[in-house]
Amino acid sequence: MPEKIRAMVCDDSVVIRRLVADVLAADPEIEVVGTAVNGKNALDKIPLLKPDILTLDVEMPIMDGLQTLIEVRKTYKKLPIIMFSTLTARGAGATLDALERGASDYVCKPANVGSLSESMEAVRSQLIPKIKSLTGRAPIAPVARAARPAFGAPPPGAPGAPGRPGAAAAGAAGPLKAATLGNRVDVVAIGVSTGGPDALTTVITALPANFPVPIVVTQHMPPVFTQLFAQRLNAKAKVEVREAAAGDPLKPGVVLIAPGDWHMRFKQAANGPVVVLDQGPQENYCRPAVDPMFRSITEMFSSHVLSVIMTGMGSDGHRGAEQIIRAGGSLIVQDEATSVVWGMPGAAVQAGLPCDVLPLGKLAEVITSRASAARSGSAPRRTP
């Protein structure tokens, strides 16, 4: 048996400290090696306890989570750190600050739950998968390869499912082929999760102000966080970035980010495709989820979609990307070396989807080249 994951919990609330420690200790793969009541206490204990991962409360007296993170990163540059945040504007802002300064991920403290057992389950469902992914203990789940007839079938009731419009095209069997490199790109659709805020910032801020097509993004994030993240990204980027609202048109050079707790889809309006938001069932344990966005954007733009799957745990996006490829569109995935967690990109690769695997630093350049090439008459080059 592999050694247990050594976890350390830092929170000034004795109730939360005990709740998190009990949830983690109940997992047979995790050992809680210690707790800390504030950041200063944590800094003193880390060299003694040598944790594999640290959970860090955002708001604490004496030394808060952000100050602690900055100090920890001076010595422990690769220690995975998960911020524990409140689902408020203040908590979201502090958490985004922490992600910019090197936090690995975050979870939200349970809110509006009726019992201790519900609180524990809320923490367990969020925290344990992230701990295992960030410490390399969560292998990519087996993914059906594209050659299997059942692969690519959307969930029942989804666009493209049997009995819904587009079913024949979306569920078509047969081998997948890479899109023709000179194929015109009319929209870029990006799916991302763990590590996404920092990775998206790297990509979006590198795009030119005259980026020629719309960009739609699903980042796994809760409400409040997506709005603040979009506002921050807009302040840094040359293109316009905002949280999507129902009825928003898709415009060149505008980045629309799915709002927390809402799937983002699209419909045809008089002047072109517009955003539709819904709170349908979670997909891949997520809402917003990448797959419904990918399916819907394919219905609007057919073969002219460039899809991008970036860092993130789980496998959300690979089934929707398969439909994009079947329609004649293309896929780029972030490589393992530059991903915080190579779950979502790795699932697409493991499924055998034709795609280009690129490091984070090359994504903006290649996305811009592909989106601009057919309009300028130049031929984009396939990055090896």
Side-chain angles (χ1 to χ4, degrees), residues 12-262:
D12 66 304
S13 165
V14 63
V15 174
I16 296 295
R17 203 162 58 241
R18 179 63 182 271
L19 185 152
V20 174
D22 286 351
V23 166
L24 298 185
D27 189 285
E29 297 181 51
I30 300 174
E31 175 186 6
V32 179
V33 295
T35 61
V37 298
N38 57 55
K40 185 177 183 304
N41 189 215
L43 290 173
D44 291 338
K45 289 187 173 185
I46 288 173
L48 301 175
L49 299 176
K50 297 180 173 57
D52 297 318
I53 195 159
L54 171 67
T55 70
L56 188 57
D57 187 20
V58 169
E59 299 180 40
M60 295 182 292
I62 302 178
M63 182 180 284
D64 65 19
L66 187 58
Q67 293 173 304
T68 307
L69 171 69
I70 292 170
E71 291 302 314
V72 170
R73 280 288 175 253
K74 290 178 181 178
T75 305
Y76 307 95
K77 299 189 183 303
K78 295 186 177 181
L79 175 66
I81 299 175
I82 298 177
M83 307 304 295
F84 214 58
S85 170
T86 53
L87 194 59
T88 63
R90 178 177 173 179
T95 302
L96 291 173
D97 287 339
L99 292 172
E100 289 179 358
R101 288 165 173 78
S104 308
D105 205 348
Y106 65 94
V107 297
C108 293
K109 293 183 178 181
N112 301 320
V113 292
S115 68
L116 177 61
S117 62
E118 289 178 306
S119 295
M120 294 182 74
E121 181 54 36
V123 172
R124 181 183 295 108
S125 62
Q126 288 190 80
L127 187 54
I128 288 181
K130 293 186 177 187
I131 286 176
K132 292 182 179 181
S133 290
L134 291 169
T135 56
R137 302 294 181 88
I140 299 172
V143 174
R145 295 188 68 83
R148 294 186 179 181
F151 185 86
R164 294 292 298 272
L176 292 172
K177 296 180 180 179
T180 303
L181 193 54
N183 188 37
R184 189 182 79 245
V185 171
D186 286 342
V187 66
V188 176
I190 301 175
V192 61
S193 184
T194 310
D198 189 50
L200 272 175
T201 298
T202 298
V203 172
I204 300 301
T205 57
L207 299 177
N210 62 345
F211 192 81
V213 303
I215 301 175
V216 292
V217 177
T218 288
Q219 157 75 63
H220 295 162
M221 263 186 174
V224 182
F225 281 69
T226 45
Q227 182 180 32
L228 286 177
F229 176 57
Q231 290 171 353
R232 288 180 176 220
L233 197 48
N234 185 60
K236 298 176 182 178
K238 302 178 189 72
V239 292
E240 181 182 352
V241 184
R242 63 174 183 262
E243 183 185 59
D248 275 348
L250 274 57
K251 296 181 179 179
V254 176
V255 181
L256 297 178
I257 299 178
D261 204 33
W262 294 81

Side-chain angles (χ1 to χ4, degrees), residues 273-298:
V274 298
V275 170
V276 176
L277 301 176
D278 72 77
Q279 291 186 306
Q282 291 186 356
E283 291 193 29
N284 307 305
Y285 308 102
C286 301
R287 191 174 61 219
V290 180
D291 275 335
M293 180 185 74
F294 277 2
R295 290 195 304 267
S296 184
I297 204 71
T298 306

